Amino acid sequence: MEIKKQLEQALAAIHEALTQVVTPNDLADLKAKYLGKKGVVAEWMSAMKNLTPEERPAFGQLVNEAKNRINDVIESFRQKMEDRRVAEKLANEAVDVTLPGRTIPMGSKHLINQIIEEVEDLFIGMGYTVKEGPEIEQDLYNFEMLNLPKSHPARDMQATFYITDELLLRTHTSPVQVRTLLENGGKKPIKIICPGKVYRRDEDDMTHSHQFTQIEALVVDEYVTLADLKGTLLTLARKMFGDDRQIRLRPSYFPFTEPSVEVDISCYQCHGKGCPMCKHTGWIEILGAGMVNNAVLEATGYDKTKYQGFALGVGVERLAILKYGIDDIRAFFTNDLRFNRQFK
Ligand code: PHE
């Protein structure tokens, strides 16, 4: 029968066409060409109407067989394509679990920030809040309202980067005191600490840096005494340098505090016996402090007959240098990771 030959030809043509199939779409086109509504097989089917009723069953069976074989060929090709796709995908996505893992390097907090946080924690625990102020400051707040008028000789102690006659890079964190006092407009109580960067026109060397970090503390209330300051200083000294530290206050001078003190801690290296660390005195100077000068209270609207306060200012680099025996202040600012990583 003619149809058998046509089937063989069709199958041969399909096998030939399959060698050109690349995408699933190509395969769908091929399938449509033979098995679709207007496809080759459909054409054979429609040829049935030209046959006698006797011829039809056998013919129909042949066409059906042909249809199934074509379908099988195409479907098995589709299966092969799919298997190949999956195999490729698996091969591409294979994970070699024996490869060493990729380590993600962890950063660490800069030592200066660690110490700031340590001091903040301590003071927050005592009811203080943390305050910040601008690094570009007015002469008015950095000096004048701190009882350092324009011609005051004590200004020389803080070599200043001036931006204009009235604007400067703050030389200490004390202007935040003035800002806070003014904000509170004569009202009590004030209990703040202010960490931040400060700037002085110093030549950089092992012990000097034109930028460094201070933490200021300020308390203003009724009945605040030097004893409160002393207790606070002792708490700070013990937190930073060990529970068996003692402190010693020496008279000093700051225009914005009266009386002013220089604070020493007992040497944590030799415990007072004398060693190179404390220059054989048994004591190490750590910070300056004092009772807020009446002139500062008055200038910011506080009744000096009712309110007192104390203030302290501590250099963070100095604390770190003492605590960890760092010999060059520049190590804090050069960002050598070998230095920074030591304090994880
Ligand atoms: N502001 C002073 C300084 O930088 C330190 C200080 C602060 C002293 C508060 C007394 C009270 O030198």
Side-chain angles (χ1 to χ4, degrees):
M1 230 183 204
E2 187 64 6
I3 184 78
K4 264 192 180 160
K5 228 165 146 200
Q6 283 183 21
L7 171 62
E8 295 311 328
Q9 276 167 7
L11 282 173
I14 288 168
H15 281 297
E16 173 65 26
L18 282 175
T19 65
Q20 309 296 323
V21 165
V22 181
T23 67
N25 270 347
D26 296 342
L27 193 65
D29 288 348
L30 190 65
K31 188 169 179 176
K33 182 174 170 194
Y34 286 92
L35 302 178
K37 263 193 210 140
K38 291 180 179 160
V40 174
V41 172
E43 242 170 60
W44 292 340
M45 283 296 214
S46 67
M48 259 218 280
K49 61 181 182 292
N50 303 326
L51 299 177
T52 63
E54 293 75 40
E55 287 171 318
R56 277 183 196 168
F59 182 83
Q61 205 183 338
L62 272 174
V63 173
N64 255 337
E65 260 168 38
K67 186 176 165 186
N68 290 340
R69 281 183 64 186
I70 290 170
N71 197 49
D72 287 351
V73 168
I74 290 176
E75 284 310 315
S76 79
F77 188 84
R78 185 195 305 287
Q79 191 57 49
K80 255 189 252 158
M81 248 179 129
E82 177 64 13
D83 290 350
R84 207 183 318 127
R85 193 188 64 80
V86 171
E88 259 167 34
K89 197 166 148 85
L90 285 176
N92 285 339
E93 291 174 5
V95 174
D96 182 352
V97 292
T98 65
L99 282 175
R102 217 172 291 163
T103 47
I104 298 165
M106 289 287 279
S108 55
K109 267 183 202 155
H110 195 281
L111 179 56
I112 293 300
N113 288 328
Q114 288 182 36
I115 293 196
I116 289 174
E117 281 176 21
E118 212 176 315
V119 175
E120 279 178 357
D121 282 350
L122 175 72
F123 278 86
I124 288 169
M126 298 192 289
Y128 288 67
T129 50
V130 177
K131 256 206 105 188
E132 288 184 343
E135 289 168 31
I136 295 176
E137 187 52 281
Q138 297 181 43
D139 184 277
L140 184 67
Y141 296 153
N142 193 84
F143 288 130
E144 267 176 75
M145 293 189 79
L146 287 168
N147 199 27
L148 275 145
K150 282 250 158 52
S151 56
H152 200 292
R155 285 196 179 204
D156 294 349
M157 284 163 35
Q158 303 190 354
T160 309
F161 286 110
Y162 278 95
I163 296 166
T164 67
D165 282 351
E166 300 302 332
L167 274 186
L168 45 77
L169 294 182
R170 68 177 176 191
T171 56
H172 51 178
T173 40
S174 300
V176 188
Q177 285 190 33
V178 178
R179 287 173 172 274
T180 310
L181 289 164
L182 288 173
E183 269 169 32
N184 280 259
K187 285 201 273 314
K188 57 142 196 177
I190 294 173
K191 275 178 101 175
I192 52 156
I193 60 161
C194 332
K197 296 188 187 83
V198 301
Y199 302 85
R200 291 193 194 171
R201 211 157 31 74
D202 285 326
E203 207 72 57
D204 289 356
D205 61 22
M206 278 176 80
T207 54
H208 295 84
S209 170
H210 65 280
Q211 178 207 302
F212 57 102
T213 319
Q214 283 190 338
I215 302 174
E216 188 94 3
L218 172 71
V219 171
V220 173
D221 207 340
E222 288 173 64
Y223 314 112
V224 177
T225 70
L226 192 67
D228 296 315
L229 171 59
K230 201 174 170 191
T232 306
L233 292 167
L234 187 60
T235 308
L236 175 62
R238 290 188 170 168
K239 162 88 174 178
M240 300 307 292
F241 295 101
D243 285 340
D244 52 351
R245 289 289 68 66
Q246 295 298 329
I247 59 165
R248 176 174 87 167
L249 307 187
R250 285 178 290 111
S252 184
Y253 174 76
F254 300 103
F256 34 92
T257 48
E258 180 60 36
S260 302
V261 294
E262 210 76 64
V263 183
D264 297 341
I265 56 168
S266 56
C267 183
Y268 44 84
Q269 202 97 164
C270 64
H271 298 273
K273 286 200 280 293
C275 71
M277 178 89 207
C278 57
K279 302 194 186 94
H280 302 282
T281 63
W283 296 94
I284 300 170
E285 183 187 322
I286 59 162
L287 63 93
M291 301 305 291
V292 178
N293 194 315
N294 281 340
V296 176
L297 290 175
E298 272 185 328
T300 52
Y302 277 78
D303 181 351
K304 66 177 181 194
T305 62
K306 265 173 82 184
Y307 299 120
Q308 305 82 39
F310 68 72
L312 63 94
V314 58
V316 181
E317 284 77 7
R318 175 143 182 87
L319 290 181
I321 283 169
L322 290 172
K323 201 168 167 164
Y324 295 100
I326 295 157
D327 57 11
D328 191 334
I329 193 171
R330 291 169 294 195
F332 294 112
F333 307 108
T334 43
N335 280 336
D336 184 336
L337 291 179
R338 292 169 303 176
F339 174 78
N340 294 353
R341 282 193 186 120
Q342 293 177 71
F343 306 104
K344 269 198 184 169

